[in-house]
Amino acid sequence: MLTLDGVHAGYTAVPVLNGVSIKVEEGQFVAIVGPNGAGKTTIFRTISGTLKPRAGRIAFEGLDLADVPADRRPHLGIAHVPEGRQVFASLSVFENLELGAYTEAGRRDWKRNLDAILGWFPRLAERRSQLAGTLSGGEQQMLAIGRGLASSPRLLMLDEPSMGLAPTVADFIFERLLEIRKETKLTILLVEQRVAEALESADHGYVLEAGRVVLEGPNSALRANDRVRQAYLGM
Ligand code: ATP
């Protein structure tokens, strides 16, 4: 469904991504893990189109994204839930979700999606009229994910959904992602620093260090890998 082939990208003369190749099959749950500053968010920016790769190719469902502007990509079915749960603070929960449904598919599926989102995240149903800025961190993350889902994506990209959340809240989010995936067969690409949780939820993983993929494989193989165990799982 999504292929990155030898992608190089950066912000200044200093490169951040040094030839990253990643493959996400339809229906897969793929995690990209790695230390701070490895370039995980930068990968997402190249996929959503806010950063242009200097070299390499990104294709979504066989379509080369090089000539597809960032604002068209959600309409192809690519939803990017950015780091730091950027919800519209002065709008209500409902209005935030409604704004997420701005794609053609999102408008078409709005009623069904809204019911599903409020079912997965009952907190959002309870607070649907509340201003998003007054929600807790975990609730804002649920809303950010809900807004992404409201666009009726084929690929949901989540940048560190557990950031700054208490472990029980983060666990709830991971559980919901698994449930959403099971019920909808949605393809999910996740970036996480909570490596243990990410590799438990996903079925395939990539370890990114200093802008390069240093390891990849099925989650079970990565969890059993000595380097991953020592560097990321504290074993
Ligand atoms: P984190 O978990 O800290 O977000 P990350 O793996 O997602 O880490 P990136 O955010 O992709 O890493 O950042 C990779 C490198 O690019 C870092 O050295 C960072 O300082 C730099 N960088 C990120 N955004 C910008 C920007 N807008 N301008 C210049 N440099 C940037």
Side-chain angles (χ1 to χ4, degrees):
M1 171 178 259
L2 177 78
T3 321
L4 277 77
D5 191 9
V7 170
H8 290 253
Y11 305 92
T12 57
V14 186
V16 175
L17 303 182
N18 297 297
V20 169
S21 297
I22 283 174
K23 225 185 195 134
V24 181
E25 308 284 357
E26 182 156 10
Q28 240 183 353
F29 188 154
V30 174
I32 304 174
V33 300
N36 254 328
K40 304 183 297 297
T41 296
T42 303
I43 291 180
F44 273 17
R45 290 189 182 131
T46 64
I47 300 169
S48 59
T50 53
L51 182 69
K52 206 173 159 55
R54 290 188 181 142
R57 183 173 182 271
I58 304 178
F60 181 67
E61 298 191 313
L63 175 71
D64 189 332
L65 292 183
D67 297 322
V68 181
D71 62 1
R72 276 299 312 158
R73 298 188 191 190
H75 299 279
L76 299 179
I78 301 174
H80 181 184
V81 179
E83 199 172 26
R85 21 179 204 274
Q86 295 166 23
V87 296
F88 296 105
S90 59
L91 298 181
S92 71
V93 165
F94 181 79
E95 287 164 335
N96 267 273
L97 293 174
E98 219 175 10
L99 279 176
Y102 70 104
T103 61
E104 212 171 283
R107 283 196 299 269
R108 183 194 61 209
D109 302 336
W110 165 241
K111 286 220 157 63
R112 198 182 64 206
N113 284 341
L114 180 67
D115 284 349
I117 293 162
L118 297 180
W120 290 316
F121 301 110
R123 277 294 184 92
L124 298 182
E126 287 161 23
R127 290 162 202 251
R128 60 190 282 162
S129 308
Q130 196 170 317
L131 295 186
T134 66
L135 299 175
S136 72
E139 289 160 356
Q140 288 190 14
Q141 184 60 63
M142 294 172 207
L143 181 56
I145 295 172
R147 209 178 54 193
L149 291 169
S151 72
S152 251
R154 309 198 7 84
L155 170 70
L156 181 69
M157 303 199 299
L158 300 159
D159 195 346
E160 298 213 25
S162 77
M163 193 170 66
L165 303 184
T168 49
V169 183
D171 286 346
F172 173 81
I173 302 261
F174 285 120
E175 282 164 21
R176 276 302 95 93
L177 291 178
L178 285 175
E179 189 183 324
I180 291 167
R181 193 252 183 136
K182 201 166 138 198
E183 287 178 23
T184 63
K185 312 269 189 287
L186 183 67
T187 309
I188 300 179
L189 181 58
L190 169 76
V191 152
E192 257 301 327
Q193 277 190 50
R194 292 198 200 207
V195 177
E197 289 86 345
L199 294 183
E200 252 164 53
S201 305
D203 29 51
H204 199 89
Y206 289 83
V207 180
L208 191 78
E209 288 177 7
R212 286 176 212 278
V213 172
V214 294
L215 271 174
E216 73 156 296
N219 62 350
S220 51
L222 287 184
R223 285 207 309 259
N225 179 282
D226 281 344
R227 179 167 174 179
V228 173
R229 288 164 72 86
Q230 279 164 20
Y232 297 104
L233 302 177
M235 295 178 184

